């Protein structure tokens, strides 16, 4: 299998990276950022929307900061999982990603900005030719979506990254930079319901780091992941729950899901409802059922949508189990 | 004798002038011979090695050197240091890169191929299409249905249409893109059930032998025993319709090939093949050149498991391109192409029916197996038989009814895969026995122990079974797993299950010739002054360790360390013909051939020693590089002394040994399928945890007992057992070739084709049972495929023990199991799966009957394996027939039928309905 050739840039500072981006943009040349490359390179090998230029963030030491409240985009997943600064729930989700080898290359930035996945898309070029391509990488054919046909506008590929739901529950903020300057937003607002656009990054914009409110260290919670094998497999569903109790009383609860739609889901209202009407086990059951109903997976991953929805219910129940014991 | 005279060796020639040669040493690295290891010498030869299974015809050849000792494989250093050259590691000067143009359609006529643009591309050296090679080939001579490239039609996505050789990969790929092909799309068949129906354009045309106008490649009908009365006599019956998804070998190394026509006009094909000899033949057919003009060079093989045992179209392509271009051509597959070429286990619909009578005997097995062959025949003719005949043992049965059919569909071809044809139906039988035992309220291990065929018996279809270690396998796993404390006693979600296996140790019939005419395996030995032994064998080491087994056999007989044996097994130019590494034949056949060859050399050495020492040959024994009087060990010579003496008149010693199977089997149509000179047996217990809420199954522990006759290399046997567990676990839990709604294979990569990772691997306790096969080399039988069979049913049965839910589709992915759990909950009107009852067992009276019978049989079996005059025992004796006569000879109601009756055809089973069609020739077409 041959990767299409590209020109690789390796800036050593964020400024330099932005300069390179600027000059490429001015020449109307497109490019991708690359961090660990564990997602981008397989996609390039399969000729999934490869670009002529690639800018590597690997040499930018500014992006590797890791404290209790700041996580640089270039922090490797394994480092995140092992760090004493990492909240145990975040560490658990980081530790569940791919395999140890991939975690040593893969990064936090790459994980958050992970491309969406689909059975009809994450395939070799030859394979995709046999289905006459699909909307997300149509090779100029104007091909339809193979999952939900007869609508040429939306791609429903699935967002299957593990960190986002936990970070959403932590109310993390993402910090971005581009030729038009810096900006930041809540991670909850970062994603866009379109398997192709995926998130709010502007062309040439990159994620420098994320920040987490300090008080989160006192929160408890859990992350539950559904997959076939304990290694390698992407989440077929994932549920993060984080809560805060005061004197044994539940004060706050946040729930987020992944692996079920084109974006991770943040279920603020449902969580709030539970806090307000907390009645122990029954409430968790009720919440789990509500979450099952709230998510709408489509048939483009290993398990069937019906099963994934049923399992969200089980995962939610398990993620919230700690609410009962503490 | 003066000191000087002492140094002059008797029989060792001296130069004129009396310049004495130094006395030759013992050969080998260590100049001192080690004392004979009496612990390894069998009792029958006066040694200390106990022989609870009796003595063996090779006992007198045991020197105590290597056989039975754990040894790392002789080629392992090459592998671990990265020096081993696999298919894609071959680099020849001026090589070109070959790429294949493949069909994007399931089924289509190729109307035209336009090469004009591609051939203009600078760097493109040659292009070939189906026009360049019109002769058909296929692994079985009876079903040649493949072309190097499409001649008129493409039959599955990924089928070959053309190939290109260019200076580099990028150019070759660009050329592939520039080839323009016009197609006429045909209606494709994806569901194997549709393959049974008449079709407008059958995928292949068998001419006058075509069955109806359907896509049936092979059909089998067999009835043996008391068919009519089996249902009447039964008190418990099991029936289940299974679906087994197809699985792929997924060997680490993707296929790769290099073809080179040398200046003298000969072709050398470098290929990681399991069966070099068949490629050799197929190349000669397709390229239309004589076989002697071709040298097939087997490279190191990065795993085969049956996936590299057909002659392949890409091997033809590389050869054709190399001939056209005059330069070496290398083709290496992407992983996706491995799935296109496939030859994996057949997707199968299997209906399994078992009947047991009031004495807890299996009074009948009825099996119907429809198997999906994909686009080509491959080994399918045999697979169709194996799905039936390979479950006629280890149990004695009152009747056996089998209908099997293999159909062509527009999918990548299925073929032979580890446990060929036996795995799926074995799983169905063993799960059935679990169910029947439950109905009878008996322990399933007791049920099995009371229904085993004895050693030296004939199965219902007439297979001659020699050694059987099944009982010991069962007893060992029962004991070591703590079965009695666990079975039907553990809490919900925690279960234990048993499964058995039975497999051929070498196919009795060489595919290309009459076994009475040519041997199955031949081994040549050459020894010169240096004392090292060069072994020429065509057996293909595919990682299973066949080189090591041959080296061990020769080393054992000659009393040499392994490093003095040099195996030359790579090239058909130098190696004698061998049928290759399939059907678990290599150890049995090739080691037997090697032993015969070594015996010749041994006899030369003993004669020479006798001449030197004047000791009679019967008094001599061979130890570590030394031959000496057994009664007076001080009298003897070193190995080299004896060798040089033997060489005096003729130079290097050469010897040839061969193996052929004894005449066996019965005469009905298809009687040869499944016939083997010996059979292996195995029993596994698996312990699992099942999450009732998610349906996820985790196999925690496996106790795996396998009867391999004799472990020539216990380390390798254990490796095979553990490896088989891993592979079988894949099929039972997560591996499947998944076809999407458009008929496309959705998971042609190793992320979505889900091989268990190290995390999924249970703790496996390998248990070796040595039943000492009378015809096996030093008693050995196979250990490469049989050990895979029991893990599937053991896991299925353990899942049932854990949650009381049976599956009927493999793999038992969590979503499938969860569906079954939900169904069970609905049946029992339970809301929460955590409230499911765990299965429990209360023994019926039959349990005592079975235990008593098992005890009696155990005594019977021990007697039978130790006496020298063994009475015949034919399946049927358990049901009151005379054991010494084939039952059909004395009882008219004992069927032996291979053609269905009109009555059957009125209401056939699924695969049996293949017989509703009439062959064209019988319709006068
Ligand atoms: C076999 C396998 C299994 C996997 N299993 C899992 C799993 O279980 N869970 C999971 O979550 N992931 C999984 N992954 C995906 C991937 O390895 C991880 O998500 C990883 O974190 C991606 O990080 P990366 O640095 O390698 O990303 P890259 O490949 O470098 O980049 C991924 C994408 O993000 C963009 N990007 C990268 N960094 C930035 C940035 N700083 N700013 C803006 N855009 C950026 C890139 O342009 C690219 O589009 C798996 C991958 C493989 C190959
Ligand atoms: S969801 Fe549709 S458009 Fe998106 S990748 Fe899958 S098939 Fe293509």
């Amino acid at each position: 299998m041959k990767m299409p050739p590209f020109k690789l840039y390796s800036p050593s500072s964020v400024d330099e990276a932005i300069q390179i981006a600027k000059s490429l943009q001015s020449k109307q040349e497109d490019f991708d950022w690359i961090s660990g490359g564990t997602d981008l390179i397989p996609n390039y090998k399969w000729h999934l929307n490869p670009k002529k230029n690639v800018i590597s963030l690997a040499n930018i030491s500014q992006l590797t900061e890791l404290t209790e409240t700041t996580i640089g985009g270039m922090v490797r997943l394994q480092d995140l999982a092992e760090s004493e600064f990492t909240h145990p729930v975040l560490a658990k989700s980081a530790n569940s990603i791919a395999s140890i080898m991939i975690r040593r290359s893969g990064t936090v930035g790459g994980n958050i900005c992970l491309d969406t996945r689909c059975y009809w898309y994450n395939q070799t070029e030859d394979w995709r030719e046999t289905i006459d391509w699909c909307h997300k990488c149509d090779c100029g054919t104007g091909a339809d979506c193979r999952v939900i046909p007869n609508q040429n506008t939306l791609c429903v590929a699935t967002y299957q990254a593990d960190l986002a739901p936990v970070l959403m529950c932590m109310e993390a903020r993402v910090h971005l930079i581009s030729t038009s300057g810096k900006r930041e937003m809540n991670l909850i607002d970062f994603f866009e319901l379109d398997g192709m656009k995926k998130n709010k990054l502007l062309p040439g914009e990159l994620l420098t780091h994320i920040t987490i409110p300090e008080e989160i260290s006192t929160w408890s919670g859990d992350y539950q992941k559904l997959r076939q094998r304990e290694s390698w497999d992407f989440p077929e569903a994932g549920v993060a729950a984080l809560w805060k109790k005061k004197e044994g009383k539940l004060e706050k609860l946040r729930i987020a899901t992944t692996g079920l739609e084109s974006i991770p889901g943040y279920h603020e209202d449902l969580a709030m409802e539970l806090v307000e009407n907390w009645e122990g086990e029954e409430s968790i059951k009720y919440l789990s059922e509500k979450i099952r109903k709230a998510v709408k997976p489509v048939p483009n991953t290993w398990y069937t949508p019906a099963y994934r929805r049923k399992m969200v219910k089980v995962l939610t129940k398990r993620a919230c189990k700690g609410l009962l014991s503490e | 004798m003066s000191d000087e005279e002492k140094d002059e060796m008797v029989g060792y020639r001296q130069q004129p002038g009396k310049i004495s040669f130094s006395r030759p040493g013992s050969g080998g690295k260590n100049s001192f011979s080690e004392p004979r290891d009496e612990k390894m010498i069998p009792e029958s030869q006066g040694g200390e090695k106990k022989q609870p299974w009796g003595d063996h015809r090779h006992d007198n050849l045991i020197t105590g050197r290597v056989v039975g000792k754990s040894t790392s494989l002789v080629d392992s250093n090459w592998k671990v240091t990265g020096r081993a050259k696999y298919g894609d590691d071959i680099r020849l000067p001026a090589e070109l890169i070959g790429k294949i143009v493949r069909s994007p359609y399931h089924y289509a006529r190729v109307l035209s191929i336009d090469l004009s643009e591609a051939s203009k591309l600078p760097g493109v050296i040659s292009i070939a299409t189906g026009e360049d090679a019109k002769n058909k080939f296929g692994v079985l001579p009876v079903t040649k249905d493949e072309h190097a490239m499409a001649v008129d039609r493409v039959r599955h996505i990924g089928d070959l249409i053309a190939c290109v050789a260019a200076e580099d990969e990028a150019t070759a790929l660009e050329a592939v893109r520039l080839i323009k092909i016009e197609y006429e799309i045909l209606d494709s068949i994806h569901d194997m059930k549709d393959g049974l129906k008449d079709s407008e354009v059958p995928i292949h045309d068998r001419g006058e032998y075509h069955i109806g106008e359907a896509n049936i490649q092979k059909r089998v009908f067999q009835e043996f025993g008391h068919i009519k009365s089996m249902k009447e006599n039964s008190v418990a019956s099991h029936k289940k319709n299974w679906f087994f998804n197809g699985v792929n070998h997924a060997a680490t190394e993707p296929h790769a090939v290099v073809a080179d026509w040398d200046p003298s006009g000969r072709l050398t094909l470098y290929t990681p093949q399991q069966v070099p000899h068949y490629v050799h033949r197929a190349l000669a057919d397709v390229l239309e050149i004589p076989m002697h003009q071709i040298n097939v060079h087997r490279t190191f093989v990065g795993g085969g498991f049956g996936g590299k045992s057909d002659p392949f179209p890409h091997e033809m392509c590389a050869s054709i391109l190399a001939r056209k271009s005059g330069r070496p051509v290398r083709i290496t597959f992407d992983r996706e192409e491995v799935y296109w070429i496939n030859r994996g286990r057949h997707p199968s619909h299997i209906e399994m029916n078992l009947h047991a009578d009031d004495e807890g005997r299996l009074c009948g097995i009825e099996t119907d197996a429809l198997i999906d062959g994909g686009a080509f025949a491959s080994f399918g003719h045999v697979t169709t038989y194996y799905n039936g005949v390979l479950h006629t043992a280890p149990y004695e049965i009152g009747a056996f009814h089998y209908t099997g059919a293999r159909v062509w569909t527009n999918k990548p071809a299925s073929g032979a895969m580890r446990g060929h044809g036996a795995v799926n139906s074995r799983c169905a039988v063993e799960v059935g026995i679990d169910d029947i035992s439950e109905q009878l309220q008996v322990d399933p291990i007791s049920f099995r122990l009371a229904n085993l065929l004895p050693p030296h018996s004939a199965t219902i279809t007439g297979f001659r079974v020699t050694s059987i270690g099944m009982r010991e396998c069962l007893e060992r796993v029962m004991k070591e797993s703590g079965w009695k404390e666990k079975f039907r006693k553990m809490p919900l979600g925690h279960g234990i299950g048993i499964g058995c296996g039975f497999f051929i140790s070498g196919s009795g019939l060489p595919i290309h010739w009459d076994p009475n005419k040519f041997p199955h395996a031949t081994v040549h030995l050459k020894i010169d002054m240096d004392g090292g032994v060069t072994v020429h064998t065509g057996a293909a080491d595919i990682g299973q360790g066949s080189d090591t087994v041959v080296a061990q056999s020769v080393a054992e007989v000659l009393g040499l360390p392994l490093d003095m044996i040099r195996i030359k097994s790579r090239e058909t130019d130098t190696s004698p013909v061998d049928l290759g590494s399939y059907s678990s034949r290599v150890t049995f056949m090739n080691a037997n051939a090697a032993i015969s060859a070594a015996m010749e050399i041994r006899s030369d050495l003993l004669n020479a020693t006798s001449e030197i020492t004047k000791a009679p040959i019967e008094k001599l024994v061979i130890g570590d590089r030394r031959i000496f009087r057994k009664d007076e060990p001080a009298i003897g010579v070193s190995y080299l002394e004896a060798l040089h003496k033997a060489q005096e008149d003729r130079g290097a010693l050469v010897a040839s040994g061969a193996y052929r199977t004894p005449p066996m089997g019965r005469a009905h149509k298809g009687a040869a399928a499944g016939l083997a000179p010996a059979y292996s047996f195995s029993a596994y217990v698996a312990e699992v945890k099942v999450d009732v809420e998610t349906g996820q199954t985790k196999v925690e522990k496996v106790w795996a007992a396998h009867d391999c006759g004799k472990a020539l290399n216990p380390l390798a046997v254990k490796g095979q057992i553990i490896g088989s567990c891993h592979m079988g676990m894949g099929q039972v839990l997560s591996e499947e070739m998944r076809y999407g709604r458009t008929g496309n294979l959705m998971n042609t990569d190793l992320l979505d084709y889900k091989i268990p990772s190290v995390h999924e691997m249970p703790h496996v306790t390998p248990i070796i049972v040595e039943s000492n096969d009378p015809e096996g080399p030093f008693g050995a039988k196979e250990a490469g495929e049989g050990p895979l069979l029991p893990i599937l049913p053991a896991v299925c049965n353990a899942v049932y023990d854990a949650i009381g839910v049976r599956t009927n589709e493999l793999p038992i992915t969590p979503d499938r199991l969860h569906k079954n759990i939900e169904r069970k909950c609905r049946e029992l009107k339970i809301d929460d799966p955590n409230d499911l009852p765990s299965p429990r067992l209360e023994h019926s009276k039959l349990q005592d009957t079975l235990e008593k019978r098992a005890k009696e049989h155990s005594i019977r079996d021990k007697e039978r394996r130790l006496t020298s005059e063994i009475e015949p025992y034919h399946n049927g004796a358990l049901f009151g027939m005379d054991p010494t006569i084939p039952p059909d000879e004395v009882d008219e109601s004992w069927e032996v039928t291979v053609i269905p009756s009109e009555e059957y055809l009125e209401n056939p089973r699924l695969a049996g309905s293949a017989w509703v069609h009439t062959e064209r020739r019988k319709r006068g077409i």
Side-chain angles (χ1 to χ4, degrees), chain A residues 1 117 119 123-124 127 130-131 146 227-231 233 302-303 307 310-311 317-318, chain B residues 334 336 691 693-694 696 733 738 741 744-746 751-752 754-755 759-760 814-815 818 822:
Chain A
M1 203 167 298
R117 302 179 61 81
Y119 247 38
Q123 301 279 3
T124 66
W127 192 98
T130 69
I131 58 148
R146 302 292 158 200
R227 56 178 156 176
Q228 178 76 50
R229 297 170 293 184
E230 278 175 47
S231 187
D233 287 341
W302 173 249
Y303 290 137
Y307 177 68
K310 283 174 192 159
M311 287 309 105
K317 196 179 84 181
R318 292 182 180 180
Chain B
D334 286 333
E336 185 183 39
D691 185 330
E693 291 182 327
T694 63
Q696 243 149 357
L733 292 180
R738 186 176 276 191
R741 70 181 142 75
N744 286 64
L745 181 57
M746 301 305 285
L751 177 62
D752 291 317
K754 300 198 185 283
I755 300 172
H759 300 277
E760 277 70 52
D815 49 342
H818 186 259
E822 281 185 323

Side-chain angles (χ1 to χ4, degrees), chain B residues 517-546:
Chain B
K517 277 212 174 115
F518 296 104
H520 287 252
T522 310
V523 169
H524 295 164
L525 302 182
K526 186 227 85 179
I527 315 180
D528 217 326
M529 309 282 283
D530 62 315
V533 186
T534 307
V535 181
H536 292 284
T537 163
D541 198 311
I542 59 171
Q544 88 281 42
S546 76

